[in-house]
Amino acid sequence: MAVATQSLETLCINSIRFLAIDAVNTAQSGHPGLPMGAAPMSFVLWDKFIRHNPKNPKWFNRDRFVLSAGHGCMLQYAMLYLTGYDSVSIDDIKQFRQWGSTTPGHPENFETAGIEVTTGPLGQGVCNAVGLAMAEAHLAAKFNKPDCTVVDHYTYTIMGDGCNMEGISSEACSLAGHLGLGKLIALYDDNHISIDGSTDIAFTEDVSKRFEAYGWHVLHVEDGNSDLAGIEKAIAEAKKVTDKPSMIKITTTIGYGSPNRAGTGGIHGAMLGDDETIATRENLDWKYDFFEIPEDALSRYRQAIDQGAEAEADWEKTLSTYRSKYAEEAAEFERMISGKLPDGWEDALPTYTPEDKALATRKNSEATLNALAPALPELIGGSADLTHSNLTELKISGDYQKGAYENRNIHFGVREHGMGAICNGIALHGGGLIPYCATFLVFTDYMRGAIRLSALSEAGVVYVMTHDSIGLGEDGPTHQPVETVASLRAIPNLYVIRPADGNETSGAYKIAIQKRNAPTLMCFSRQGLRNLPGSSIDAVAKGAYIMSDSDGTPDLIMIATGSEVQLCEDAAEKLRGDGKKVRVVSMPCWKLYEEQDAAYKESVLPKAVKKRLVVEAMSSFGWAKYYGDEGDMISVDTFGASAPGGVVMEKFGYTIDNVVSRANALLS
Amino acid sequence: MAVATQSLETLCINSIRFLAIDAVNTAQSGHPGLPMGAAPMSFVLWDKFIRHNPKNPKWFNRDRFVLSAGHGCMLQYAMLYLTGYDSVSIDDIKQFRQWGSTTPGHPENFETAGIEVTTGPLGQGVCNAVGLAMAEAHLAAKFNKPDCTVVDHYTYTIMGDGCNMEGISSEACSLAGHLGLGKLIALYDDNHISIDGSTDIAFTEDVSKRFEAYGWHVLHVEDGNSDLAGIEKAIAEAKKVTDKPSMIKITTTIGYGSPNRAGTGGIHGAMLGDDETIATRENLDWKYDFFEIPEDALSRYRQAIDQGAEAEADWEKTLSTYRSKYAEEAAEFERMISGKLPDGWEDALPTYTPEDKALATRKNSEATLNALAPALPELIGGSADLTHSNLTELKISGDYQKGAYENRNIHFGVREHGMGAICNGIALHGGGLIPYCATFLVFTDYMRGAIRLSALSEAGVVYVMTHDSIGLGEDGPTHQPVETVASLRAIPNLYVIRPADGNETSGAYKIAIQKRNAPTLMCFSRQGLRNLPGSSIDAVAKGAYIMSDSDGTPDLIMIATGSEVQLCEDAAEKLRGDGKKVRVVSMPCWKLYEEQDAAYKESVLPKAVKKRLVVEAMSSFGWAKYYGDEGDMISVDTFGASAPGGVVMEKFGYTIDNVVSRANALLS
């Protein structure tokens, strides 16, 4: 592997490689293989194509880049440092993977300016990229005018073999093909190596043909190690195809330059170490110090600073024209990209009285979504093929489709995991969009990888989950969430809300819309629930509150959520008739309750009242925290069963008589 | 849609349709569309191809059938009833979707003899089918002799558009193509309708081309409504191709026969009701009573009883020959298919003393797997591309590959969800195989849909999950399980075990292997853990036990799992030095502990001892049940962070000093 005279291009490319090698060696952990192999495509992409402003990483009209193969993050940190981002200095790179650094082990948008989304769990990034491209297409269709283009950027992603093996990427890429997202360009780092070794052992499908089957424009650069012109030509061609997303397979050698470990699994995720680093430096004729970048190379990269400032200034001019010609649209556009919600949007939330008809909370959710739709033009989303069960259609809009990107009803298909990751992309795009997505609550299991990343990456996705308990009935245990809500409540930074009626549903949406840096997951019933006299929109924000009470210190507190609150109200009435002092607490959201001060918590659940009965038609897992050492719970700690919903509820003990009897047992 | 004279074939096909119509009407819920559209392919498949014995649904050498589109389960119940299974009578069909019936809303292997696996959550079934075919290929390669074939069956599945949209099916089908599973035949019910309406709104990819890209043999029957000869020819061709799995796209009309709703989303999941049922009966010239099957049709179907008895008898003859020629192999084969474990297999479990070297429990796991491999020939499995991180290779075996199915190391690729569902298929195959599979613990999120189905469908899959806490270090929060274990402990019928050292690792495997009707999920550390004097293999079966103690009633009980047990031991020593009476309880498995009697539980965690400190390097979610009203916990209730493992542990408070200090705070 002899190396010719070092051209400036080669110096630039090797700069990426040695930053990765040195950083991983210093950290004694990390993944040098991908940055070394993908350095040429990255150089070409940033040098020739990516439009960004290093000194304003949040410039709205920047091209978005996602490193889907997030373990190769030293590639991305190298690009940020080389092109002049303040967030990643050479000292930060020396702190790769250390406590408190801006260069953690996988790219995290909330740690490092210039990182768009959080990747690492494989396959997520390319789906985020689909979401970013969908957001761009929507905003472009909504705001651009024939004589004035204020939204116009590409979304690029580098994905690896691992991303392509994950089913989540199949889901989102199939949808991207269906939608014809012409400004999405994926570079597939085809290096034939995954952690276990050659992809020959498990992954011999024809990836290009698969993407063609999805309706993508597919290209191949056979020598991704040295054919820079070929890479440039391919990306340029990809940009020309405007009605299909493009996938460019770029065949590379993982760990290129390492004489003994290039092209092997041994360089994927292990440092080179002293000997192999010396050998690689010799092989690539690299004469610079550790962490040193040749001045010429740095100057070339740092051209991005002036170019970026210029690009942003040009765009500002366009925006200024847009402002003068289309004042109203401009105001709306600038409001949205600033992340500010429209004044008074909360006024659109429906309110209910006990006289209003009992509805399933999924129907209350439908009413709320449709009430919010005109007030919140940034609300966009849909269901994973359960639109008429989840009731998530915005009736004022058509379907988001190829050529109709201005619409707000997205049909995700039966692709829950891809849906969640796409919504993360939409939420983190920076265009102010508020994505919502829906399926049956139990199928959050299919999309948990993406939900966790919503929470971790502070993406304000709104999850609309219906059919929220064994009360869904006939579909049976495969469809009945039992442990699902517990498993979701356990996720940090995720607001899980299970409303009891119409007002609580509006209250749940109020939180979901307000929380732009955290996801909210709402659980709605299939079956009808009456509107309770004590419920209120604002009380939901407290997480738990007194729904009804007896005078004086209660003998017993019943705590319930969702459909079980009305059951507790009925049981409490009976118990009060028997002279018992009973408080009913509705607890739609644990996390919001935990965020209240001690005085409020004591006012709702006084420590001294030890007789507590929790009633929730699902697993008791986690509830001991609230029912305590002397309390009890009516729960479902097995899987459910197939039968009409009312029958299932009865068989599992969700009847007034049983609640009264369990309450009396506690009191006796 | 005029209907010609009713041939016997047509009567047979319409029998399926009207059983579905009548059952769904009676239940007032269910999915008639798929059974009506897929009735012709089902008739042909059962009439001409499927080899089974209705009077012995567990006959080992039967063909396996999986209805991947599980919502269409009336199709499967109809076939079981029509071909003479005792598990589904006409009365059972009348009880469709009712409490306690054998005909629940989705097919459940644990409720209904003749159902192989539990389907309903889309995409799972076709992956189970891949697992069934992999099991068959392994057992065939292992046991068959040139002159004696004791393992020889096909695996058939019917999948719908929904199955094909789900990423999980992409994962398993890509692997099936790689493995060249020639005896796997998938019928794709291409009816262009999913719940939201035409597949045109979200799913326009070329499915056939995608399967070709995976390396499948692909066929198309254009008129799946009436071209019975075409269906028969295609299946026959599929059987002839022995080195590739076959996918037969069969274009049908959903709800065929319903004059007003065939071919629409309206018939997917809603009953026909009186008027449309009458219209459909007229349209299909159906003159029989509700739930009545014409005698000729029933007779034709019931030929399966004699044919099945004969097929089993023939196979018994072969087995008898096998016994006489290959006595040793026959004994092993019969032991395995009986589900009996070999005598004395537990003796292979490694044991440790405190003098043995401190190892990461993932290394103990590796030693255990390799110690068990010779003792348990039924153990087969692998990792989702993390073999050398999970340490799951069986060193006595080669890789399970096309042409080398006798081997036991499966490379699943980066396909966690597909891996879990494949293992469910292997576990439920009936060949006695014990599948294990592995990834990083945090990525159980990707495969949770399959893990839940292991638990629900009583599949004894062994989940080997490594890198089990923030202690994994540099990879950071995307890779650090924090809430993961809580979310898994919440799943009914799943044994989650987090061993503290070598003996507990052996104890965890002992449970995992013994539990053939429940999955076990083990959580292993990345970092080294010393062997504790109080640990034991058998104590793990109790779920929690006293690891070390002071004399008399303890002042304080510390409860820990996994890597935090040694930390508590160190802290306890300090506290005891200060005259405190401290008990340390290791609690590797909540579920096993809950299964103990009250006396045992009281002996480990006496109710009267209220000062309790839980130490686990993850979320506190759920632990209040054990630390109680007056206890405390050192937990991680945010996401983790990227830094060396020891640093992360220290920053989050997992130090001897902090444990001592928190213990003293409780005691003061």
Side-chain angles (χ1 to χ4, degrees):
Chain A
M1 208 192 270
V3 174
T5 328
Q6 298 270 40
S7 67
L8 179 55
E9 283 77 9
T10 304
L11 277 182
C12 284
I13 291 168
N14 285 337
S15 295
I16 301 172
R17 292 184 175 131
F18 283 97
L19 282 175
I21 291 169
D22 294 347
V24 173
N25 278 338
T26 303
Q28 300 191 42
S29 92
H31 300 78
L34 182 136
M36 293 170 73
M41 70 178 84
S42 302
F43 168 68
V44 173
L45 186 60
W46 263 264
D47 192 58
K48 304 286 184 192
F49 296 100
I50 286 195
R51 200 175 42 169
H52 62 137
N53 184 0
K55 296 304 174 197
N56 180 13
K58 292 285 176 197
W59 170 40
F60 170 75
N61 207 39
R62 70 194 179 275
D63 288 338
R64 271 44 168 195
F65 173 78
V66 175
L67 183 66
S68 190
H71 53 275
C73 56
M74 260 314 303
L75 178 80
Q76 206 167 359
Y77 301 142
M79 300 318 295
L80 293 177
Y81 163 62
L82 292 169
T83 58
Y85 283 71
D86 296 331
S87 52
V88 181
S89 67
I90 196 72
D91 286 333
D92 293 319
I93 288 182
K94 290 176 184 170
Q95 288 295 306
F96 180 51
R97 297 185 146 227
Q98 303 309 304
W99 183 267
S101 77
T102 60
T103 49
H106 289 86
E108 295 165 356
N109 59 303
F110 52 95
E111 293 287 0
T112 316
I115 304 287
E116 303 287 355
V117 295
T118 293
T119 58
L122 291 173
Q124 300 281 343
V126 59
C127 305
N128 298 158
V130 172
L132 292 166
M134 285 174 67
E136 195 269 350
H138 176 70
L139 295 169
K142 181 183 172 77
F143 287 110
N144 289 347
K145 303 288 177 186
D147 64 345
C148 207
T149 300
V150 287
V151 182
D152 179 23
H153 70 77
Y154 285 83
T155 300
Y156 297 100
T157 181
I158 293 180
M159 59 184 176
D161 289 303
C163 296
N164 272 319
M165 284 191 253
E166 291 285 7
I168 185 175
S169 67
S170 297
E171 293 178 4
C173 292
S174 175
L175 184 61
H178 169 80
L179 293 173
L181 300 170
K183 291 166 88 175
L184 172 64
I185 298 176
L187 312 187
Y188 165 30
D189 179 32
D190 170 45
N191 65 28
H192 290 287
I193 293 292
S194 64
I195 297 180
D196 276 5
S198 166
T199 51
D200 289 349
I201 61 174
F203 185 58
T204 49
E205 63 168 61
D206 182 340
V207 177
S208 294
K209 186 169 178 176
R210 174 158 63 83
F211 274 81
E212 283 169 10
Y214 293 149
W216 286 50
H217 166 232
V218 175
L219 296 159
H220 186 196
V221 178
E222 288 179 26
D223 176 7
N225 296 326
S226 45
D227 183 7
L228 303 187
I231 296 170
E232 183 178 347
K233 184 160 165 274
I235 300 175
E237 272 184 49
K239 288 183 71 171
K240 277 189 214 140
V241 174
T242 58
D243 63 342
K244 293 177 175 186
S246 290
M247 193 279 269
I248 309 173
K249 176 166 125 171
I250 305 181
T251 302
T252 66
T253 303
I254 192 170
Y256 181 91
S258 161
N260 302 303
R261 284 159 59 194
T264 75
I267 203 155
H268 168 94
M271 64 173 179
L272 270 70
D274 291 348
D275 293 351
E276 190 64 13
T277 299
I278 291 167
T280 305
R281 294 171 76 91
E282 274 173 21
N283 186 47
L284 293 179
D285 196 21
W286 188 253
K287 294 165 176 161
Y288 307 91
D289 208 349
F290 298 109
F291 295 105
E292 183 191 352
I293 301 303
E295 252 178 58
D296 288 359
L298 198 59
S299 303
R300 169 73 167 258
Y301 275 118
R302 293 274 160 102
Q303 290 175 4
I305 297 175
D306 285 347
Q307 289 166 354
E310 206 174 308
E312 181 166 351
D314 284 350
W315 177 77
E316 284 288 352
K317 271 183 228 155
T318 307
L319 182 58
S320 170
T321 309
Y322 190 73
R323 265 188 218 113
S324 59
K325 286 190 173 173
Y326 308 102
E328 201 177 323
E329 291 94 328
E332 181 73 345
F333 174 66
E334 293 190 80
R335 178 190 69 74
M336 279 179 62
I337 70 173
S338 78
K340 193 179 166 307
L341 296 171
D343 291 334
W345 67 271
E346 305 94 330
D347 301 341
L349 292 166
T351 59
Y352 301 84
T353 69
E355 287 67 45
D356 288 314
K357 194 180 162 195
L359 294 175
T361 48
R362 64 178 169 141
K363 284 195 179 269
N364 296 129
S365 164
E366 181 182 37
T368 312
L369 272 173
N370 278 286
L372 290 176
L376 284 171
E378 50 265 66
L379 196 61
I380 182 170
S383 162
D385 196 46
L386 290 168
T387 304
H388 306 296
S389 297
N390 302 140
L391 304 173
T392 45
E393 194 179 27
L394 304 183
K395 297 188 200 315
I396 60 165
S397 178
D399 287 350
Y400 182 103
Q401 292 287 1
K402 185 171 179 172
Y405 300 124
E406 68 281 8
N407 289 328
R408 293 157 63 190
N409 288 307
I410 302 173
H411 287 285
F412 289 101
V414 192
R415 303 179 178 109
E416 298 84 4
H417 203 181
M419 172 171 75
I422 286 170
C423 286
N424 286 337
I426 296 175
L428 296 173
H429 172 263
L433 295 175
I434 303 180
Y436 68 93
C437 64
T439 182
F440 289 155
L441 177 57
V442 78
F443 296 131
T444 53
D445 278 359
Y446 271 50
M447 56 193 306
R448 192 173 166 90
I451 294 172
R452 185 179 207 261
L453 279 168
S454 304
L456 176 59
S457 65
E458 302 175 5
V461 177
V462 179
Y463 290 97
V464 180
M465 298 296 161
T466 71
H467 296 62
D468 73 346
S469 79
I470 53 170
L472 71 84
E474 292 91 343
D475 277 340
T478 53
H479 285 54
Q480 291 168 351
V482 164
E483 77 290 9
T484 315
V485 168
S487 79
L488 294 165
R489 284 177 180 143
I491 298 178
N493 202 38
L494 173 67
Y495 291 88
V496 178
I497 312 184
R498 186 167 184 247
D501 69 356
N503 286 329
E504 286 198 7
T505 299
S506 290
Y509 271 96
K510 188 171 177 181
I511 296 294
I513 300 299
Q514 283 171 341
K515 299 279 177 197
R516 295 292 80 234
N517 295 318
T520 300
L521 189 148
M522 295 175 287
C523 310
F524 296 118
S525 72
R526 179 191 181 199
Q527 71 274 29
L529 303 179
R530 67 175 193 267
N531 288 293
L532 301 167
S535 85
S536 99
I537 293 179
D538 290 330
V540 172
K542 301 281 193 182
Y545 65 101
I546 299 168
M547 179 64 79
S548 72
D549 210 352
S550 303
D551 288 337
T553 304
D555 303 321
L556 173 85
I557 301 176
M558 289 200 279
I559 308 170
T561 76
S563 46
E564 288 70 69
V565 178
Q566 66 174 29
L567 176 61
C568 285
E569 284 286 81
D570 292 340
E573 204 181 301
K574 270 205 162 186
L575 288 161
R576 287 173 195 141
D578 294 341
K580 307 291 194 320
K581 289 194 282 183
V582 177
R583 172 177 295 182
V584 176
V585 169
S586 177
M587 196 169 195
C589 180
W590 290 20
K591 184 170 168 55
L592 288 166
Y593 174 74
E594 291 300 333
E595 289 172 2
Q596 306 310 307
D597 60 30
Y600 179 77
K601 289 196 221 175
E602 177 66 19
S603 76
V604 177
L605 297 177
K607 283 207 178 68
V609 182
K610 295 280 191 190
K611 306 290 183 191
R612 299 177 179 190
L613 180 65
V614 171
V615 185
E616 191 177 42
M618 43 188 71
S619 169
S620 62
F621 198 91
W623 272 109
K625 183 171 183 179
Y626 298 113
Y627 65 69
D629 289 357
E630 295 170 42
D632 193 9
M633 175 165 177
I634 301 177
S635 60
V636 183
D637 290 310
T638 60
F639 290 108
S642 171
V647 174
V648 179
M649 280 294 207
E650 190 195 320
K651 296 278 185 186
F652 278 95
Y654 295 91
T655 62
I656 299 173
D657 283 352
N658 190 48
V659 175
V660 168
S661 138
R662 294 279 285 269
N664 279 324
L666 269 182
L667 288 169
S668 68
Chain B
M1 207 192 270
V3 174
T5 327
Q6 297 269 38
S7 68
L8 179 54
E9 282 78 8
T10 303
L11 277 181
C12 284
I13 290 167
N14 285 336
S15 296
I16 301 172
R17 292 183 175 132
F18 284 97
L19 283 175
I21 291 170
D22 294 348
V24 173
N25 278 337
T26 303
Q28 299 189 43
S29 93
H31 301 77
L34 182 136
M36 294 169 74
M41 70 177 84
S42 303
F43 167 69
V44 173
L45 186 60
W46 263 264
D47 192 58
K48 304 286 184 192
F49 295 100
I50 287 194
R51 202 174 41 170
H52 62 138
N53 183 359
K55 296 304 174 196
N56 180 14
K58 291 285 175 197
W59 171 41
F60 169 75
N61 208 39
R62 69 194 179 277
D63 289 338
R64 270 47 167 193
F65 172 78
V66 175
L67 183 65
S68 190
H71 53 276
C73 56
M74 261 313 303
L75 178 81
Q76 206 168 0
Y77 300 143
M79 300 318 295
L80 293 176
Y81 163 62
L82 292 169
T83 59
Y85 283 71
D86 296 331
S87 52
V88 181
S89 67
I90 195 73
D91 287 332
D92 293 319
I93 287 181
K94 290 177 184 170
Q95 288 295 306
F96 180 52
R97 297 186 145 227
Q98 303 310 303
W99 184 267
S101 77
T102 60
T103 50
H106 289 85
E108 295 165 357
N109 60 302
F110 53 95
E111 292 287 2
T112 316
I115 304 288
E116 304 287 355
V117 294
T118 294
T119 57
L122 291 173
Q124 299 281 343
V126 58
C127 305
N128 297 158
V130 172
L132 293 166
M134 285 174 68
E136 195 269 351
H138 176 71
L139 295 169
K142 181 182 171 79
F143 287 111
N144 288 347
K145 302 289 179 183
D147 64 345
C148 207
T149 301
V150 288
V151 182
D152 179 23
H153 71 76
Y154 284 84
T155 300
Y156 297 101
T157 182
I158 293 180
M159 60 184 174
D161 289 303
C163 296
N164 272 319
M165 284 191 253
E166 292 284 7
I168 185 175
S169 68
S170 297
E171 293 178 4
C173 291
S174 174
L175 184 61
H178 169 80
L179 293 172
L181 299 170
K183 290 166 87 175
L184 172 63
I185 297 175
L187 312 187
Y188 164 30
D189 179 31
D190 169 44
N191 65 28
H192 290 287
I193 292 293
S194 63
I195 296 180
D196 276 5
S198 166
T199 51
D200 289 349
I201 62 173
F203 186 58
T204 48
E205 63 168 61
D206 182 339
V207 177
S208 294
K209 186 169 178 177
R210 174 158 63 85
F211 274 81
E212 284 169 10
Y214 294 149
W216 286 51
H217 167 233
V218 175
L219 295 160
H220 185 197
V221 178
E222 288 178 27
D223 176 6
N225 296 326
S226 46
D227 184 8
L228 304 186
I231 296 170
E232 184 178 347
K233 185 160 164 278
I235 300 174
E237 273 183 49
K239 288 183 70 169
K240 277 188 214 140
V241 174
T242 58
D243 62 342
K244 291 177 175 187
S246 290
M247 193 279 269
I248 309 173
K249 176 165 126 171
I250 305 180
T251 302
T252 67
T253 303
I254 192 170
Y256 181 92
S258 162
N260 302 303
R261 284 159 60 196
T264 74
I267 203 154
H268 169 94
M271 65 172 178
L272 271 70
D274 291 349
D275 293 350
E276 190 63 13
T277 299
I278 291 167
T280 307
R281 294 171 77 91
E282 272 173 22
N283 185 47
L284 294 179
D285 197 22
W286 189 253
K287 295 164 175 161
Y288 306 92
D289 207 348
F290 297 110
F291 295 105
E292 183 191 352
I293 301 303
E295 250 177 60
D296 287 359
L298 198 59
S299 302
R300 169 74 168 259
Y301 276 118
R302 292 274 162 101
Q303 290 173 4
I305 297 174
D306 285 348
Q307 288 166 353
E310 207 174 308
E312 181 166 352
D314 284 352
W315 178 77
E316 284 289 353
K317 270 182 225 153
T318 307
L319 182 58
S320 169
T321 308
Y322 191 74
R323 264 187 219 115
S324 58
K325 287 189 172 173
Y326 308 102
E328 202 177 322
E329 290 94 328
E332 181 73 344
F333 175 66
E334 294 190 79
R335 178 190 70 73
M336 279 179 61
I337 69 173
S338 79
K340 194 178 165 308
L341 296 171
D343 292 332
W345 67 270
E346 305 94 331
D347 301 341
L349 292 165
T351 58
Y352 301 84
T353 69
E355 286 68 46
D356 287 314
K357 195 183 161 193
L359 294 175
T361 49
R362 64 178 169 141
K363 284 196 178 269
N364 295 129
S365 165
E366 180 182 38
T368 312
L369 272 173
N370 278 285
L372 290 175
L376 284 172
E378 50 265 65
L379 196 61
I380 181 170
S383 163
D385 196 46
L386 290 168
T387 305
H388 306 297
S389 296
N390 302 141
L391 304 173
T392 45
E393 192 178 29
L394 304 183
K395 297 187 198 315
I396 61 166
S397 179
D399 287 351
Y400 182 103
Q401 292 288 1
K402 185 170 178 174
Y405 300 124
E406 68 281 7
N407 290 328
R408 294 156 63 189
N409 288 307
I410 302 173
H411 287 285
F412 289 102
V414 192
R415 304 179 178 108
E416 297 83 4
H417 203 181
M419 172 171 76
I422 286 170
C423 286
N424 286 336
I426 295 174
L428 296 173
H429 173 263
L433 296 175
I434 302 179
Y436 69 92
C437 65
T439 182
F440 289 155
L441 177 56
V442 79
F443 297 131
T444 54
D445 278 359
Y446 271 50
M447 57 193 305
R448 191 172 167 91
I451 294 172
R452 185 179 207 259
L453 279 168
S454 304
L456 176 60
S457 66
E458 302 174 4
V461 176
V462 179
Y463 290 96
V464 180
M465 299 296 160
T466 71
H467 296 61
D468 73 345
S469 79
I470 52 169
L472 70 83
E474 292 90 343
D475 276 340
T478 53
H479 285 55
Q480 289 168 351
V482 164
E483 78 290 9
T484 315
V485 168
S487 80
L488 293 164
R489 284 178 180 142
I491 298 178
N493 203 38
L494 173 68
Y495 291 88
V496 178
I497 311 183
R498 186 167 185 247
D501 69 355
N503 286 328
E504 286 198 7
T505 298
S506 289
Y509 272 96
K510 189 170 177 183
I511 297 294
I513 301 299
Q514 282 170 343
K515 301 278 177 198
R516 295 293 80 236
N517 295 319
T520 300
L521 189 147
M522 296 176 287
C523 310
F524 296 117
S525 72
R526 179 191 182 200
Q527 71 273 31
L529 303 179
R530 68 175 192 266
N531 289 292
L532 301 167
S535 85
S536 100
I537 293 179
D538 290 331
V540 173
K542 302 281 194 182
Y545 65 101
I546 300 167
M547 179 64 80
S548 72
D549 210 352
S550 303
D551 288 337
T553 304
D555 304 320
L556 172 85
I557 302 177
M558 290 200 279
I559 309 171
T561 75
S563 46
E564 288 70 69
V565 178
Q566 66 175 29
L567 177 61
C568 285
E569 285 286 81
D570 292 341
E573 204 181 301
K574 270 207 163 185
L575 288 160
R576 287 173 196 141
D578 295 339
K580 307 292 196 316
K581 289 193 283 182
V582 177
R583 171 178 294 181
V584 176
V585 169
S586 177
M587 196 170 195
C589 181
W590 290 20
K591 184 170 167 56
L592 288 166
Y593 175 75
E594 291 301 332
E595 289 171 2
Q596 305 309 307
D597 61 29
Y600 179 77
K601 290 196 221 175
E602 177 65 21
S603 76
V604 177
L605 298 176
K607 282 208 178 67
V609 182
K610 295 281 190 188
K611 305 289 183 192
R612 297 177 180 191
L613 180 65
V614 171
V615 185
E616 190 177 41
M618 43 187 72
S619 169
S620 61
F621 198 92
W623 272 109
K625 183 171 183 178
Y626 299 113
Y627 65 70
D629 289 355
E630 296 170 41
D632 192 10
M633 176 165 177
I634 302 176
S635 60
V636 183
D637 289 310
T638 60
F639 289 108
S642 172
V647 175
V648 179
M649 280 294 208
E650 190 195 320
K651 296 279 185 185
F652 278 96
Y654 294 91
T655 62
I656 298 174
D657 283 351
N658 190 48
V659 176
V660 168
S661 138
R662 293 280 286 269
N664 279 326
L666 269 182
L667 287 169
S668 68

